[in-house]
Amino acid sequence: MPTTTRVLIIDDHPLFRRGVSQLLGLADGFEIVGEAASGQEGIELAKRLDPDLILLDLNMKGMNGLETLRTMRDLEIDARIILVTVSDAPEDLIAAIRSGADGYILKDNDPDDILKLIDSAMHGKTAISPELTSLLATALREESVVEQRTQASLTERETAILKCLAGGMSNKLIARELDIMESTVKVHIRNLLKKLKFRSRVEAAVWAVANHIG
């Protein structure tokens, strides 16, 4: 039986919310369960509706997208969260990924490309507009020189999981691939992020790809 992805849209522009709703309505497997015009309203809806996917604007009045994202992660809201924005500034991209975003999509991307990226995120892969991926990889590569970041500190199991992250695999798929419990995967990911001084799995995945680990 096909799985339906339940979506919450948080954006202070009604026209954009309508456009995204129409776009997802044309694709199979998506159901819009809520819309919010502010970060605070979005947080309340996320807690109540428990969506699978949250599409979140970055530049909102009042509580902005980053503040909303951090609050939702602090509340352990488990949805995939993608920032959808007009900002292609590297600092905004890096801040979003480090705050727990599962993707970062530019609003001016082609609608078909936006759908493909959203679908990638729902399958555990990194959902970043292609023109921004190289910016993030470059920033992480330059930072790794300063941090002297290396995979040498990782155990064999952690290295295997890092390679899986680089391949865009979800925790469930990693557990199946390595024949271990999903809870064990989470522990290993937490440990490798600490050793590599990353704040999110997306950062680690992009860095691993940029450094040909995988």
Side-chain angles (χ1 to χ4, degrees):
M1 188 173 179
T3 303
T4 298
T5 298
R6 303 170 67 256
V7 185
L8 170 63
I9 303 169
I10 307 174
D11 194 296
D12 58 1
H13 290 89
L15 194 59
F16 181 76
R17 295 199 305 273
R18 184 183 305 170
V20 172
S21 295
Q22 291 174 344
L23 176 63
L24 293 179
L26 295 173
D28 293 330
F30 293 100
E31 176 192 359
I32 308 299
V33 295
E35 295 183 17
S38 70
Q40 191 58 55
E41 182 187 3
I43 290 167
E44 294 305 316
L45 281 178
K47 289 192 293 185
R48 181 161 58 85
L49 298 173
D50 190 26
D52 304 305
L53 171 67
I54 297 172
L55 300 178
L56 173 64
D57 186 25
L58 179 64
N59 299 310
M60 296 187 292
K61 296 174 183 176
M63 178 181 269
N64 67 32
L66 286 178
E67 293 168 331
T68 304
L69 171 63
R70 289 167 185 149
T71 300
M72 288 193 289
R73 289 313 190 204
D74 286 345
L75 291 170
E76 297 187 347
I77 289 171
D78 199 33
R80 307 287 287 177
I81 303 176
I82 299 176
L83 271 291
V84 186
T85 176
V86 297
S87 174
D88 60 359
E91 56 269 26
D92 286 337
L93 168 61
I94 292 170
I97 297 303
R98 287 182 172 163
S99 297
D102 296 293
Y104 193 99
I105 301 175
L106 295 178
K107 287 183 176 181
D108 61 2
N109 277 163
D110 183 273
D112 286 341
D113 291 335
I114 291 176
L115 278 176
K116 287 176 184 175
L117 287 167
I118 290 173
D119 187 62
S120 291
M122 295 315 298
H123 286 85
K125 298 183 179 180
T126 304
I128 299 176
S129 292
E131 59 268 45
L132 297 179
T133 304
S134 60
L135 287 177
L136 179 57
T138 299
L140 294 175
R141 193 182 295 116
E142 290 173 352
E143 182 187 81
S144 71
V145 174
V146 177
E147 294 280 1
Q148 294 184 326
R149 186 175 284 124
T150 173
Q151 69 181 104
S153 62
L154 303 182
T155 65
E156 186 176 339
R157 178 68 81 190
E158 288 164 353
T159 299
I161 289 177
L162 179 61
K163 290 178 179 179
C164 290
L165 290 179
M169 297 172 68
S170 64
N171 287 356
K172 187 176 292 184
L173 287 177
I174 294 172
R176 192 180 304 160
E177 174 74 15
L178 301 179
D179 195 24
I180 57 178
M181 298 288 291
E182 192 172 346
S183 57
T184 304
V185 172
K186 291 179 181 179
V187 171
H188 284 309
I189 289 176
R190 187 163 60 243
N191 289 340
L192 74 85
L193 291 180
K194 184 176 180 180
K195 289 180 180 181
L196 293 174
K197 299 179 183 178
F198 284 129
R199 299 180 198 175
S200 78
R201 60 188 290 139
V202 176
E203 269 189 294
V206 173
W207 176 80
V209 171
N211 287 275
H212 309 291
I213 299 168

